[in-house]
Amino acid sequence: MLCKMLVPVLLAAALTAPSLHAQTGAAAAAPPAANPVDPAAIQALRDMGAYLQTLKRFRVSTGLTGERVLADGQKLQHTATARMDVERPNRLRAVMTSARSERELVYDGKTVTLYTPAQKYYSTVPFTGSLTELVEQLERKYGVEVPLSDLFVWGTPAAPLDQIESAMNAGQDFIGGDLCDHYAFRQGKIDWQIWITAGSKPLPRRIVITNRADEARPQSASLIDWNLNPAFTSATFRFTPAKGATAIEILPRKTK
Amino acid sequence: MRNPFTRPFAVALTVLALASFVAVPVADAAGGARAGNRGGSDHARAGGGGKKVQANNNRADVRTNNVRSTSVNNVNVNRNVNVNVDGRGCCNNGWDNDYHPIATAAAVTATVAVTSAIVGSIVNAPPPGCVPVNYGGMIYQQCGGVWYQPQGPQFVVVNPPY
């Protein structure tokens, strides 16, 4: 509704003489942008992605709050946490914990294992490839989502920045004591916000994703903590079955 | 977060059990501290899932399983974000996906009831001949057309995930 009203206005603004455009720009401190995609906000994403790709070893922890929408539109919140040890280009260990399940994902560059400690079941499949390829293949082939998988995708062609329909700077905020730049984006049925550490180490510290596909707009919020000098060793990425653990089959995702 | 779950239990527990209840937060705190510092050593904690206090959802209202959609956790993943609630649509593939899609449709319950494995019913052990499989990152016991998911020490009949 609002969009429909805005479009003619924006079109008119775009069609008017450049001098008028300059005048409005000078009159107000922060005039509404004629282009809904602020190039500076896109550049901030590009810079963050490039910086993330330079990080070779890190530990990242996240606390997530998500929402489920019930049949009548009532929403329930739930929480989960995850911790990931990462060594680019092809080593990952993730521990995912929520109320009813704890799971581990271990990738050493040759095989990837999904382990459920409570039942002591594990499934191992051969895989070689980058972490970007890993998160894509796990999702596509097995329906397994890696926590904060965006971290492995930003800064690569798999995270195209030209599909963002709206991008804006939303000011600054403190996340965990760190001053962050706050940006807001729209693409498809997803609205999302990100808080990126201000300064020379542009790390994502908080991500909020709003799903507009449902009128109840279920939203997830992830806080992200970083350790750029982790103490793990290469043994971290080697899966050794616990005593009594059993290998079970992992079924490929069925297409409906 | 943990206290609301553990306190009602603690009332009914013996002194001995109460002692172990007290020990749990201590152990957790130690694990949390380690998680912030070191890499290799805390895998033991991660692997000890069976010993921790587990959340119990047996008393959750049946309506909590009737999920029509969920939030999403990642921006750069193309997926259908709507959970299909017609009885076949388990697992929206979110990494935090821990809810059991039981009793989402009366029709499904009625159908499965014929085989005396009613969706949502809980057993102490799956019947003999069941095969453990991982689907969508979650553990199931598949027994022909009947699927169980672990719920604490027990198993709950769920709608088939596909």
Side-chain angles (χ1 to χ4, degrees), chain A residues 52-65:
Chain A
L52 286 174
Q53 292 298 326
T54 67
L55 302 176
K56 297 307 176 199
R57 302 175 86 245
F58 57 90
R59 163 172 284 193
V60 60
S61 307
T62 185
L64 170 97
T65 303

Side-chain angles (χ1 to χ4, degrees), chain A:
Chain A
M1 184 72 179
L2 187 61
C3 287
K4 278 179 187 165
M5 289 161 62
L6 270 176
V7 167
V9 176
L10 292 173
L11 270 175
L15 289 171
T16 40
S19 60
L20 177 63
H21 196 245
Q23 270 179 4
T24 50
N35 180 0
V37 179
D38 173 8
I42 299 293
Q43 187 60 42
L45 279 186
R46 192 173 289 121
D47 292 344
M48 178 192 70
Y51 179 65
L52 286 174
Q53 292 298 326
T54 67
L55 302 176
K56 297 307 176 199
R57 302 175 86 245
F58 57 90
R59 163 172 284 193
V60 60
S61 307
T62 185
L64 170 97
T65 303
E67 288 179 335
R68 292 169 193 138
V69 185
L70 302 185
D72 61 0
Q74 187 174 10
K75 288 196 287 189
L76 297 179
Q77 260 192 13
H78 57 97
T79 62
T81 60
R83 195 195 66 220
M84 289 188 288
D85 291 338
V86 180
E87 199 171 83
R88 292 191 199 272
N90 58 0
R91 288 191 167 90
L92 169 71
R93 185 176 194 116
V95 179
M96 303 163 261
T97 308
S98 63
R100 276 161 285 192
S101 68
E102 180 172 282
R103 295 174 289 151
E104 290 184 54
L105 186 76
V106 187
Y107 177 49
D108 64 1
K110 298 187 184 82
T111 61
V112 56
T113 299
L114 201 61
Y115 178 53
T116 310
Q119 285 82 40
K120 290 194 170 183
Y121 286 139
Y122 66 93
S123 305
T124 301
V125 292
F127 185 81
T128 55
S130 68
L131 295 176
T132 308
E133 292 161 336
L134 178 76
V135 299
E136 194 269 331
Q137 284 288 318
L138 281 177
E139 166 77 23
R140 199 157 57 92
K141 192 166 180 190
Y142 293 106
V144 173
E145 190 179 84
V146 175
L148 298 175
S149 66
D150 288 326
L151 295 182
F152 308 107
V153 181
W154 276 318
T156 76
L161 298 174
D162 57 357
Q163 291 175 9
I164 293 171
E165 294 142 29
S166 170
M168 63 177 163
N169 186 321
Q172 287 191 316
D173 202 351
F174 288 100
I175 305 293
D178 291 346
L179 183 63
C180 292
D181 294 314
H182 178 194
Y183 299 95
F185 304 92
R186 302 196 112 170
Q187 54 188 102
K189 291 290 186 185
I190 298 293
D191 286 2
W192 58 287
Q193 304 169 65
I194 192 166
W195 286 255
I196 303 172
T197 312
S200 60
K201 293 184 176 178
L203 290 169
R205 294 299 314 277
R206 179 174 161 86
I207 300 170
V208 171
I209 305 172
T210 309
N211 173 6
R212 285 191 293 125
D214 189 311
E215 63 179 7
R217 299 196 170 197
Q219 186 166 278
S220 73
S222 303
L223 262 176
I224 308 172
D225 283 311
W226 294 86
N227 178 352
L228 300 184
N229 293 299
F232 54 68
T233 66
S234 58
T236 297
F237 306 102
R238 205 175 304 131
F239 177 74
T240 309
K243 198 180 172 188
T246 310
I248 65 171
E249 187 184 358
I250 182 165
L251 302 177
R253 181 188 204 167
K254 303 286 193 288
T255 48
K256 286 167 191 161

Side-chain angles (χ1 to χ4, degrees), chain B residues 64-145:
Chain B
T64 61
N65 295 303
N66 205 350
V67 175
R68 77 179 189 196
S69 71
T70 70
S71 51
V72 297
N73 303 325
N74 291 292
V75 176
N76 294 300
V77 177
N78 289 318
R79 80 169 75 74
N80 180 5
V81 291
N82 288 308
V83 176
N84 183 357
V85 292
D86 67 0
R88 294 269 157 180
C90 159
C91 300
N92 59 318
N93 307 317
W95 67 267
D96 61 319
N97 179 28
D98 65 343
Y99 77 93
H100 299 286
I102 59 172
T104 53
V108 173
T109 308
T111 315
V112 182
V114 178
T115 66
S116 78
I118 301 166
V119 171
S121 64
I122 294 168
V123 296
N124 287 325
C130 296
V131 180
V133 294
N134 190 318
Y135 184 78
M138 305 303 288
I139 299 289
Y140 295 86
Q141 291 280 347
Q142 188 187 2
C143 322

